[in-house]
Amino acid sequence: MSLPVGWALVLIVAAVWNLLVWPPFWRRVAKDPRARDDAGRPTRFFTVHAVLVGVSMLLAVLVGVVGVLGLGG
C-alpha cells in the first residue's frame, strides 16, 4: 500500500487516540443510571451508546491497520 509516512502516522495516532478514549467512556455509560431500567434491562441510552462505542472501536482498529500497512508500504 502506498501511503505517505505522515498520513500513515496520522492514521495510527487517530487509532490509538480512539482506542484510549472510548473504553473509559464505555465504563461510564455502563455505570450510568440511565443505562438500565428498573428491571435491570438495557435502555435505549445503553443501546445507542453500545453501538456508538462498538462502531468507533471497529473503525479505530481498521484505521490503525491501514496506517500500519501504509508504513510498511
Side-chain angles (χ1 to χ4, degrees), residues 4-73:
V5 173
W7 285 114
L9 292 175
V10 167
L11 292 175
I12 292 168
V13 168
V16 170
W17 171 260
N18 279 291
L19 292 172
L20 290 174
V21 168
W22 286 109
F25 177 77
W26 175 248
R27 286 191 288 276
R28 287 193 308 274
V29 167
K31 291 178 185 175
D32 194 296
R34 297 172 289 178
R36 304 274 176 185
D37 64 13
D38 293 335
R41 293 183 303 258
T43 61
R44 286 186 179 159
F45 173 86
F46 182 89
T47 304
V48 165
H49 285 86
V51 171
L52 175 69
V53 171
V55 169
S56 296
M57 295 293 288
L58 176 62
L59 288 174
V61 170
L62 294 175
V63 166
V65 167
V66 171
V68 169
L69 290 175
L71 280 180

